[in-house]
Amino acid sequence: MKVLANDGISKAGENTLKEAGIEILDNRVAQDHVINFINDNNVDVLLVRSATKVRQDLMDACPGLKIIGRGGIGMDNIDVEYAKSKGIKVINTPTASSKSVAELVFGHFISLARFLHESNRLMPLEGETHFNAMKKSFSNAYELSGKTLGVIGFGSIGQEVVKIGIALGMKVTVLTRSPKTEVLTLNFFDGQSVNFEITSTNDMDAFLKEADFISINTPKTNEYIIDTPQFEKMKDGVYIVNTARGGVINEVTLIDYIESGKVAGAALDVFENEPNPELPLLMNPALSLSPHVGGNTVDAQEKIGIELAEQIIKLQKETIR
């Protein structure tokens, strides 16, 4: 079996495949040349992240392709149902990067609540001349402890966000399409663990009125989850972080509500016009920004690589049987 990891794979994942006798190609092939590369090199497995698109035309043109793997959760860059209809196995890693994304959510929340994103921009420029003025302007900050964390989405990432919120002493509310209950376990360094039973709500109005900090952790949607009607129902001074997908929040409307003071600050790791975010977003001092790096940690990439490799090895064994 031959594997093309076109968007890369961790060394741990590569070693796991090699130990199983599977050949790994770590070439980076441009989208327009992927089909020819797969056919010329008799590739059985195509591994991607978000860069490479795997559409119907590629599958039709590559009859030898047996497995498509996505390193991550969302698979909107793969025509999954069409792949299944052609007998191609589709695999992904739905939980491997959850902790990394959740930690980034709180990196942004803390940065917003303490003005770190703005002070880091200004200190090199004005720290020597306007130190006391900046100290005063950044003093109107907030603790997260005791505030209400609102999480939209209750999948693996949403659950990790909830756990960190609980650990920080926040009140927690979760919004889903239909109410559901999950038991979340917080494990501590000394072996102790505590279980929390969390039941989500589908009452968006009540959810928005209660939340001080809102984290969006949903799959890609066809329409905005957060737009004018939702902003209007939020608390004044709310903080919002989107690490889900571009297009779940109306970015133009978001800036309007930041400028009106309704939204105290927001963070975006994903963008509607990715990889070319709109300039008004990049220049807005109330926004904390990152370039779609939610799952991009060494830890998450190692987990993703190993998990993909183990799934491929399992499928290979099943085929041999």
Side-chain angles (χ1 to χ4, degrees), residues 290-308:
S290 52
H292 201 157
V293 294
N296 287 6
T297 62
V298 172
D299 311 83
Q301 293 312 305
E302 285 197 355
K303 293 174 191 174
I304 286 170
I306 292 170
E307 194 171 320
L308 284 172

Side-chain angles (χ1 to χ4, degrees), residues 113-128:
R114 299 303 303 268
F115 302 105
L116 297 181
H117 63 299
E118 194 172 357
S119 62
N120 273 318
R121 290 171 181 163
L122 293 178
M123 279 295 288
L125 301 174
E126 302 180 20
E128 187 177 6

Side-chain angles (χ1 to χ4, degrees), residues 231-267:
F231 282 115
E232 285 294 326
K233 290 166 183 171
M234 292 179 188
K235 279 185 174 182
D236 290 342
V238 67
Y239 293 93
I240 304 169
V241 172
N242 180 22
T243 56
R245 284 289 186 270
V248 301
I249 185 169
N250 187 328
E251 295 171 352
V252 174
T253 308
L254 171 63
I255 290 179
D256 290 341
Y257 280 91
I258 287 173
E259 291 177 350
S260 75
K262 180 77 172 183
V263 176

Side-chain angles (χ1 to χ4, degrees), residues 113-318:
R114 299 303 303 268
F115 302 105
L116 297 181
H117 63 299
E118 194 172 357
S119 62
N120 273 318
R121 290 171 181 163
L122 293 178
M123 279 295 288
L125 301 174
E126 302 180 20
E128 187 177 6
T129 56
H130 295 86
F131 188 94
N132 288 332
M134 283 193 290
K135 180 178 180 180
K136 183 177 181 180
S137 66
F138 296 147
S139 64
N140 192 28
Y142 290 97
E143 295 180 355
L144 274 66
S145 177
K147 306 300 188 302
T148 297
L149 169 66
V151 180
I152 302 177
F154 209 19
S156 59
I157 295 175
Q159 291 180 27
E160 291 298 332
V161 171
V162 168
K163 286 198 230 179
I164 296 175
I166 292 171
L168 288 172
M170 302 184 80
K171 304 169 188 174
V172 173
T173 178
V174 180
L175 179 71
T176 52
R177 286 193 181 92
S178 302
K180 67 176 185 176
T181 300
E182 298 284 355
V183 177
L184 307 183
T185 302
L186 270 67
N187 297 307
F188 297 94
F189 71 98
D190 59 356
Q192 294 187 70
S193 62
V194 181
N195 292 333
F196 293 84
E197 185 175 280
I198 307 294
T199 300
S200 66
T201 178
N202 61 353
D203 187 341
M204 178 170 272
D205 289 358
F207 171 88
L208 294 172
K209 289 175 183 175
E210 188 177 355
D212 300 297
F213 292 82
I214 296 175
S215 176
I216 307 173
N217 304 106
T218 65
K220 184 177 176 63
T221 57
N222 294 323
E223 56 188 24
Y224 296 127
I225 295 174
I226 302 295
D227 205 344
T228 300
Q230 290 74 41
F231 282 115
E232 285 294 326
K233 290 166 183 171
M234 292 179 188
K235 279 185 174 182
D236 290 342
V238 67
Y239 293 93
I240 304 169
V241 172
N242 180 22
T243 56
R245 284 289 186 270
V248 301
I249 185 169
N250 187 328
E251 295 171 352
V252 174
T253 308
L254 171 63
I255 290 179
D256 290 341
Y257 280 91
I258 287 173
E259 291 177 350
S260 75
K262 180 77 172 183
V263 176
L268 301 174
D269 183 53
V270 289
F271 303 85
E272 289 188 70
N273 194 30
E274 198 171 312
N276 303 111
E278 302 295 339
L279 190 60
L281 297 173
L282 300 179
M283 300 302 292
N284 195 300
L287 285 171
S288 180
L289 305 171
S290 52
H292 201 157
V293 294
N296 287 6
T297 62
V298 172
D299 311 83
Q301 293 312 305
E302 285 197 355
K303 293 174 191 174
I304 286 170
I306 292 170
E307 194 171 320
L308 284 172
E310 289 175 345
Q311 291 183 69
I312 292 167
I313 294 166
K314 182 180 178 182
L315 288 171
Q316 183 190 41
K317 290 178 179 177
E318 291 174 354

Side-chain angles (χ1 to χ4, degrees), residues 20-39:
I22 295 173
E23 185 178 352
I24 176 82
L25 306 173
D26 62 353
N27 302 68
R28 302 294 195 277
V29 184
Q31 184 74 51
D32 292 344
H33 301 291
V34 172
I35 289 173
N36 288 338
F37 188 92
I38 289 173
N39 291 330

